[in-house]
Amino acid sequence: MFTPSVQHGLDLAGIFVFAISGALLAVRKNFDVVGMALLACVTGLGGGLFRDLVIGAVPPAAFTDLGYLLAPLAATVLVFFLHPQVERINRAVMVFDAAGLGLFCVTGTVKAYAYGLGLTASAVLGLATAVGGGVVRDVLANEVPSLLRWDREVYAVPAMVGAAAVALLIHAGRLNGATSGAAAALAFALRLLALRYNWRAPRAWHRRSRRREDGGGEA
């Protein structure tokens, strides 16, 4: 489906934009440069590490290709010197996170299928690739992962749509550079629209609690 060089380039692009979101979150949390580098690395590499371990691509690419380590470090340096004004950091985090989400749901699905998984399993692993690094990032930054928060805009759904679109393209024999880019753009756009219009996933049917945060009984 993709030549190794194209797959490699897409992986590095996803790692870089995800790593920027991790480093920006570290700035917002007032972490030092070590904390910035750590959040950049786990955000950029976490989902791909999980994917590679599941499909048996060991040792994972993050440990065999220097570029996979240099990409988040380069993102750290960029953010360290050129991060936006403080009041703009939160928006930048979400935009770069959405870009990484779009890229990784594509590359994760494609790589899983190339290693012999079925279309459904490949799409699921594409979703895990897209959201895994962000979950680890939020946990390390002492935040509830966006994936689990009902009061945040939908996060996993755009990645699901992008991964499903890739699986359908593979099934139809239509996956190429242009269509995969369109699938990534679709997931990216859906995430940005969710942020813009506050789209949220529904909670349990007829749930009676009026609490803004779930921490106890029902009101």
Side-chain angles (χ1 to χ4, degrees):
M1 287 165 288
F2 291 144
T3 65
S5 61
V6 172
Q7 178 74 39
H8 185 256
L10 289 172
D11 273 343
L12 290 180
I15 290 169
F16 185 75
V17 295
F18 252 157
I20 286 178
S21 79
L24 284 171
L25 179 59
V27 172
R28 182 161 65 85
K29 288 286 188 175
N30 202 30
F31 290 178
D32 62 17
V33 66
V34 175
M36 291 174 62
L38 177 61
L39 283 195
C41 286
V42 299
T43 310
L45 301 174
L49 283 171
F50 175 77
R51 173 200 64 203
D52 287 352
L53 290 173
V54 169
I55 64 179
V58 291
F63 296 104
T64 60
D65 189 323
L66 185 60
Y68 283 75
L69 179 61
L70 292 179
L73 295 181
T76 302
V77 173
L78 179 67
V79 172
F80 183 83
F81 289 106
L82 301 175
H83 66 82
Q85 296 177 354
V86 173
E87 62 269 19
R88 297 182 180 177
I89 287 177
N90 191 52
R91 175 59 61 178
V93 169
M94 292 187 290
V95 171
F96 279 105
D97 186 73
L101 196 75
L103 283 169
F104 270 12
C105 71
V106 171
T107 60
T109 304
V110 170
K111 188 168 184 178
Y113 186 77
Y115 271 75
L117 271 65
L119 290 176
T120 301
S122 296
V124 170
L125 198 51
L127 168 64
T129 305
V131 304
V135 170
V136 178
R137 174 201 65 203
D138 290 344
V139 170
L140 289 179
N142 198 30
E143 292 197 348
V144 177
S146 297
L147 182 69
L148 303 179
R149 295 192 59 168
W150 70 267
D151 60 337
R152 293 287 179 87
E153 296 80 5
V154 290
Y155 187 76
V157 173
M160 290 178 188
V161 172
V166 173
L168 290 174
L169 288 168
I170 294 173
H171 179 70
R174 300 281 184 170
L175 187 70
N176 53 46
T179 57
S180 62
L186 174 62
F188 176 64
L190 286 175
R191 175 60 178 159
L192 291 185
L193 287 171
L195 292 170
R196 174 66 178 82
Y197 296 106
N198 296 315
W199 292 346
R200 297 175 184 176
R203 291 191 290 166
W205 186 252
H206 288 167
R207 186 180 183 278
R208 293 182 296 160
S209 175
R210 294 186 178 90
R211 294 174 64 95
R212 292 189 60 83
E213 296 289 344
D214 290 329
E218 301 211 321

